[in-house]
Amino acid sequence: MISQGMRAPAGGRITAVLGPTNTGKTHFAIERMLAHKSGMIGLPLRLLAREVFDKVVRLKGTKAAALITGEEKIVPPGAQYYVCTAEAMPVGIGAAFLAIDEIQLCADPERGHIFTDRLLHSRGDEETVFLGADTMRGAIQRFVPQTYFTSRARFSDLAYTGSKKLTRLPRRSAVVGFSAEDVYGIAELIRSQRGGAAVVLGALSPRTRNAQVALYQSGDVDFLVATDAIGMGLNMDVDHVAFSALEKFDGFATRPLKPEEIGQIAGRAGRHMNDGTFGVTAEAEPLDEEISARVENHHYDPVRVLQWRNSALSFQSLDNLIASLDEPPPLRGLVKARHASDVVALRLLAAQDEIHDRARAPAQVRLLWDTCQLPDFHKLSSDEHARLVRTIFLHLSSDDGVLPDDWLARQIDRLDVIEGDVATLSGRLAHIRTWTYAANRPGWVRDSGHWQNVTRAVEDRLSDALHERLTQRFIDRRASALIRHLREDDEIQLVLDDSGDVAVAGEVIGKLDGFRFTPVETTAGLEARALRAAAVKGLEGEFFARARRLAFAPDGEITLSEHGRLWWDGAIVARVAPGSSPLAPTVQLMADKTLKGQPRESVQKRLEEWVAARISLKLEPLQLLQTGVDAKAGTKGALPAAARGIAHQLLENFGSLDFARGALTSDRKMVMHALRPYGVWFGRRAVYLPKLLRPDAATLLALLWSIWARLDQVPPAPRPGLTSFANDAGAPGGFLAAAGFRTFASRAIRLDMLERLEDLLEQGLTNGATTAVLTPKLASLLGCGNDELSEVLRALGWHVTEVANPEPRAVYRRHSKPKKRQAKAEAGAPPSPDSPFAELASLVAAR
């Protein structure tokens, strides 16, 4: 149930499902909602709300689903599932399940206060789910500490391919602009060069948008030009996203895009299990290496402050209302949102005597505030928008209390004209949205059902007309002559463009992606087989040329993705697979049989050398340790037998090994001394190499473990700089161990942080520090709450004890050590004293 006020409402389980784009978060939320008897989901866009509503209708029927946005209200009697925009979510409707999508918009300067209010106050009776980017984890932990977290990994790879001209973009590309003018200009250029493009803007009506997307999805056009509206969950079959600019106007100033904004939009490429690419085009400068790497690996700065505006407003007077809107945030981590159009309009109107006289009673103050929340669909100046709000308020506050029917009819009739160009029709659609909004507001019109039907009919006519003009302006429909050319020409001339498209007589027949040719889906049967045979024959030279280029490619042109794929020249060319040992994986080419003989061998050799060099560079401490293991006994650099046994185990276990330091004899000190030059650290609970805890090394080790373990899906690696986190996603213990973590009571702690934790405990044990002194330090060190800290300490073998001397107080003490391990060690046969594992066995027994 949605409620207001600063105190977080009571409710059922609260879960945050966080991760990058293409992780299925929204699909998960819909499934969870439909599993409950009732539910509500708040979405960031009207277009997305309509898409989700249509899906719920297909699954549950028209009587079960309701749609509420600023401009649409479809609420059948007894509706169970409400699909809304975040701003339009109704207050006071009980729902067993509630979800908020794109919760990272809490940080958005324009709309963030709405999402922050939903985060703080909106709850389902049985279950609440927040969906969004992992950058919100810390903020949610702070303001909703009872939240359970689930991390979701992206289904597919996302790779940066640099800059390409508009005329050389691959098919199934989406080009992103940040104004209607940019979108239209790019679409016209693509029409003249590539045949045409569909366009999607946030200002389009759902009807126009759906018609444009259908053109793209059906294959009538291979390009989509859109604003950043596509970044908010609108799902289409996009293989490549190209940014035409890297700056946007945010309502106040033109500023560079943030890495997380680039990632949100670029993530539209490669839906579900299909890999995707992103890059720049037109006038945009290439991304620097740091930003492109952060987008590829989904590493963004955490959200540190949330936009906030007081929602507990006072309507006793205009002055009280303005004062309550001006209240400062009540908590650290919240920042006062800048004035939106509703507050600007309110301040302008409150200064007018006529409005001030009309809005004296609380009911009239509330009515004025409701009127001020009319969205500025036309993007007018503040004064022009305030004049429109003033006109509506004067009608609503008159004796009739509603918008006059004849006046409203005149406003609508002058918009019901389908002649005109794209700009004219877009302007009329923006205007009709104002009256659609008014018709859906309770009490603003006499017959809301009638006016909703009238405004919807006009919007539909304008939408259809706009779709027709967009199609005429931006799409050149060409008839396919592929089959005719195949039948008439004895020789088929294949043409390969820079984007990988393979064409015959100007018509695309397939795509060459790396060393793999894929024919277009529109061909089948005998024609498809003949087409592929012709393509294979005609592409032999290209395969040979690409193999030669890759064989001599510099290291910087080859990359290894987080899913173990090797990328070159914008395509996946191989995958890394388990080899003879954990640190020596093999390379499996992803290439057609057309690549064969010496060219195939040269590609295989180059990629194997690159992988080996990558491992050697990033895991240099382990490579150094390997030299000590391989050196013959008695030669310079050779390790003693006992030290060699431990070193061998470190190599087999991705750089860390669990056992206690115990009481050290002179021989054991010799082992530690022998391994110290190799960077080996003997901790209380593990032997490890601190240099391998660095992000690059830890990420690579975790990937190598996943490959060695033959996981179907590689879990997301711990974020760089993260030293402790709740393993809510259930990442395998071996995966976390390879990344340098150990799990205690479901919390993963990095090995060096584990040492610091027990150092503090040992110091407290020595100096008699109380739990009141130590607990805040320990909780801060791990970044967790006291309850979770208690579980971690219990798993580590520590407990709280009351002592009396010199005064009663609570302190931390170790559990008494059981003797089971010693008895077990004595019962078993001892290893040979000449074995390299003898020392390791004695160390384990000493625990």
Side-chain angles (χ1 to χ4, degrees):
M1 185 165 185
I2 304 175
S3 60
Q4 295 181 335
M6 276 309 303
R7 185 174 60 85
R13 179 185 175 93
I14 302 175
T15 304
V17 182
L18 306 179
T21 56
N22 191 26
T23 57
K25 298 186 293 294
T26 306
H27 178 75
F28 165 81
I30 295 171
E31 285 190 331
R32 291 296 307 139
M33 179 175 72
L34 298 183
H36 287 270
K37 61 184 178 182
S38 62
M40 182 183 299
I41 183 169
L43 299 154
L45 294 175
R46 178 193 180 193
L47 296 178
L48 181 57
R50 185 75 201 202
E51 182 179 300
V52 172
F53 170 73
D54 291 340
K55 181 180 293 187
V56 175
V57 167
R58 287 195 301 271
L59 295 173
K60 291 293 186 177
T62 56
K63 294 183 179 180
L67 174 67
I68 301 180
T69 69
E71 303 147 69
E72 287 183 282
K73 190 173 183 182
I74 303 173
V75 185
Q80 299 168 264
Y81 305 106
Y82 283 73
V83 181
C84 319
T85 51
E87 288 86 345
M89 294 176 72
V91 175
I93 294 180
F97 173 90
L98 185 140
I100 306 294
D101 196 14
E102 305 293 358
I103 195 64
Q104 73 274 7
L105 287 178
C106 287
D108 181 70
E110 185 176 354
R111 303 170 64 203
H113 66 91
I114 297 292
F115 286 82
T116 300
D117 191 68
R118 301 296 183 244
L119 173 71
L120 296 176
H121 310 309
S122 298
R123 300 291 183 270
D125 295 334
E126 298 173 6
E127 183 178 4
T128 302
V129 174
F130 301 124
L131 312 168
D134 198 65
T135 55
M136 278 293 292
R137 179 182 293 266
I140 295 174
Q141 269 182 331
R142 179 173 187 175
F143 292 106
V144 192
Q146 67 271 39
T147 302
Y148 294 89
F149 289 87
T150 297
S151 296
R152 294 177 75 94
R154 184 178 164 89
F155 291 138
S156 60
D157 278 337
L158 183 64
Y160 176 63
T161 57
S163 178
K164 294 183 186 295
K165 294 181 179 180
L166 279 170
T167 54
R168 296 186 175 181
L169 290 174
R171 296 171 59 244
R172 314 311 293 169
S173 288
V175 184
V176 180
F178 294 95
S179 69
E181 292 77 13
D182 289 343
V183 168
Y184 294 154
I186 292 168
E188 285 182 331
L189 180 58
I190 291 178
R191 180 189 189 276
S192 66
Q193 299 289 337
R194 308 297 291 273
V199 296
V200 171
L201 301 90
L204 294 182
S205 67
R207 190 181 182 95
T208 305
R209 174 258 178 190
N210 290 340
Q212 287 289 301
V213 169
L215 287 174
Y216 176 80
Q217 291 291 84
S218 67
D220 287 353
V221 294
D222 285 324
F223 299 92
L224 179 75
V225 187
T227 61
D228 53 346
I230 68 168
M232 290 297 171
L234 299 179
N235 298 317
M236 289 163 281
D237 298 329
V238 175
D239 294 335
H240 180 78
V241 170
F243 291 83
S244 66
L246 294 172
E247 294 180 334
K248 66 177 290 187
F249 181 72
D250 63 2
F252 282 79
T254 299
R255 60 168 178 80
L257 293 175
K258 300 174 183 177
E260 54 268 30
E261 292 174 323
I262 296 174
Q264 183 75 26
I265 300 168
R268 295 301 113 191
R271 305 309 297 161
H272 197 54
M273 301 306 293
N274 297 321
D275 297 316
T277 58
F278 68 100
V280 295
T281 190
E283 302 299 321
E285 293 292 328
L287 293 172
D288 62 48
E289 186 176 347
E290 179 190 359
I291 291 179
S292 63
R294 292 178 68 182
V295 174
E296 287 176 327
N297 296 299
H298 324 300
H299 292 160
Y300 307 115
D301 295 332
V303 172
R304 301 191 183 281
V305 293
L306 308 184
Q307 299 292 320
W308 180 87
R309 187 173 81 180
N310 184 25
S311 59
L313 303 179
S314 171
F315 297 101
Q316 293 303 309
S317 67
L318 272 178
D319 291 339
N320 283 357
L321 173 59
I322 293 173
S324 62
L325 284 166
D326 286 338
E327 283 192 13
L331 300 172
R332 291 184 62 186
L334 302 177
V335 63
K336 186 178 178 182
R338 66 192 186 193
H339 288 328
S341 62
D342 53 3
V343 177
V344 173
L346 176 68
R347 288 180 173 276
L348 289 173
L349 295 178
Q352 300 179 15
D353 292 340
E354 183 179 7
I355 300 299
H356 205 279
D357 290 341
R358 290 241 187 162
R360 291 187 178 278
Q364 296 301 309
V365 174
R366 186 183 293 273
L367 177 61
L368 175 60
W369 176 239
D370 287 344
T371 312
C372 287
Q373 292 181 77
L374 172 74
D376 183 10
F377 296 114
H378 326 81
K379 303 302 178 186
L380 304 170
S381 68
S382 298
D383 289 336
E384 289 176 308
H385 182 61
R387 281 197 293 272
L388 175 61
V389 172
R390 180 182 187 276
T391 300
I392 293 175
F393 173 70
L394 290 177
H395 282 304
L396 297 178
S397 59
S398 66
D399 292 339
D400 289 340
V402 293
L403 298 177
D405 287 348
D406 57 345
W407 178 84
L408 183 57
R410 289 196 301 273
Q411 308 305 313
I412 296 173
D413 287 344
R414 65 187 180 87
L415 300 174
D416 192 9
V417 181
I418 61 173
E419 286 75 26
D421 58 14
V422 168
T424 301
L425 290 170
S426 296
R428 290 181 189 138
L429 264 173
H431 280 79
I432 197 62
R433 292 174 71 184
T434 297
W435 308 120
T436 302
Y437 179 91
N440 280 278
R441 294 296 298 168
W444 281 26
V445 294
R446 282 192 175 88
D447 186 347
S448 59
H450 166 72
W451 290 113
Q452 286 170 16
N453 290 334
V454 169
T455 55
R456 171 49 55 82
V458 174
E459 182 176 318
D460 287 349
R461 286 191 288 273
L462 291 173
S463 296
D464 292 341
L466 179 57
H467 170 62
E468 182 180 347
R469 301 299 189 283
L470 291 171
T471 302
Q472 291 173 352
R473 180 175 173 182
F474 300 125
I475 298 175
D476 180 14
R477 298 183 180 275
R478 298 172 298 172
S480 175
L482 173 61
I483 303 303
R484 183 178 69 252
H485 278 278
L486 285 172
R487 290 174 179 171
E488 294 176 356
D489 295 344
D490 293 331
E491 287 188 20
I492 299 175
Q493 297 296 323
L494 296 183
V495 177
L496 177 66
D497 67 18
D498 291 342
S499 69
D501 288 344
V502 181
V504 174
E507 299 300 326
V508 174
I509 63 170
K511 184 178 182 67
L512 182 60
D513 192 26
F515 296 101
R516 293 173 292 172
F517 173 77
T518 305
V520 293
E521 296 180 356
T522 54
T523 57
L526 179 62
E527 293 172 346
R529 292 195 294 272
L531 194 63
R532 184 174 184 86
V536 168
K537 183 177 180 180
L539 291 172
E540 284 182 350
E542 178 63 19
F543 271 70
F544 179 84
R546 291 191 177 192
R548 183 174 179 81
R549 283 168 49 212
L550 177 52
F552 294 97
D555 286 349
E557 291 184 4
I558 305 171
T559 58
L560 175 64
S561 78
E562 61 180 339
H563 295 90
R565 306 293 195 273
L566 289 170
W567 287 74
W568 171 75
D569 199 25
I572 296 175
V573 293
R575 61 182 290 269
V576 182
S580 59
S581 68
L583 303 182
T586 60
V587 172
Q588 294 180 353
L589 292 184
M590 300 176 71
D592 292 344
K593 294 181 180 179
T594 308
L595 182 65
K596 55 189 175 182
Q598 191 275 332
R600 190 180 189 96
E601 293 173 1
S602 64
V603 170
Q604 179 79 32
K605 180 181 178 182
R606 177 68 184 97
L607 295 177
E608 288 175 349
E609 290 174 349
W610 186 91
V611 170
R614 178 84 170 181
I615 292 174
S616 180
L617 176 66
K618 299 297 183 181
L619 306 182
E620 183 181 1
L622 285 179
Q623 300 299 316
L624 181 64
L625 193 62
Q626 183 71 59
T627 62
V629 172
D630 293 341
K632 291 184 178 180
T635 63
K636 184 178 180 180
L639 288 170
R644 189 163 62 251
I646 294 177
H648 179 77
Q649 290 290 301
L650 286 170
L651 293 168
E652 290 290 321
N653 288 277
F654 301 91
S656 66
L657 187 62
D658 290 334
F659 72 85
R661 183 164 49 196
L664 297 178
T665 65
S666 59
D667 288 339
R668 293 168 186 163
K669 291 179 180 178
M670 176 273 293
V671 171
M672 296 176 65
H673 178 76
L675 292 175
R676 188 172 296 118
Y678 296 91
V680 177
W681 178 260
F682 285 72
R684 287 183 173 83
R685 297 176 180 273
V687 178
Y688 62 100
L689 291 84
K691 288 185 177 180
L692 296 183
L693 301 181
R694 296 171 180 173
D696 282 355
T699 300
L700 180 55
L701 283 168
L703 174 61
L704 291 175
W705 181 90
S706 301
I707 292 169
W708 182 252
R710 291 177 167 81
L711 294 188
D712 294 331
Q713 183 73 32
V714 179
R719 298 196 311 274
L722 198 63
T723 58
S724 170
F725 61 94
N727 185 23
D728 296 325
F735 176 84
L736 294 175
F741 288 77
R742 294 296 186 270
T743 303
F744 295 91
S746 298
R747 189 164 192 87
I749 307 171
R750 205 171 68 185
L751 288 170
D752 56 345
M753 195 59 56
L754 189 59
E755 288 293 312
R756 288 183 58 188
L757 178 73
E758 296 209 280
D759 282 344
L760 285 175
L761 288 165
E762 293 286 359
Q763 292 170 13
L765 191 64
T766 302
N767 58 32
T770 65
T771 57
V773 173
L774 278 180
T775 297
K777 296 180 180 179
L778 300 176
S780 175
L781 188 66
L782 293 187
C784 66
N786 290 348
D787 292 340
E788 189 174 4
L789 174 65
S790 297
E791 294 178 6
V792 170
L793 294 182
R794 192 176 302 112
L796 287 169
W798 292 82
H799 66 283
V800 177
T801 299
E802 297 288 339
V803 298
N805 292 321
E807 59 184 11
R809 65 192 190 282
V811 297
Y812 287 111
R813 289 285 188 268
R814 285 186 180 278
H815 291 302
S816 59
K817 293 184 179 180
K819 299 182 179 180
K820 293 182 180 179
R821 290 186 178 179
Q822 182 177 357
K824 185 176 181 181
E826 292 173 355
S832 168
D834 297 327
S835 166
F837 302 99
E839 182 66 14
L840 178 61
S842 65
L843 287 172
V844 173
R847 298 173 64 185

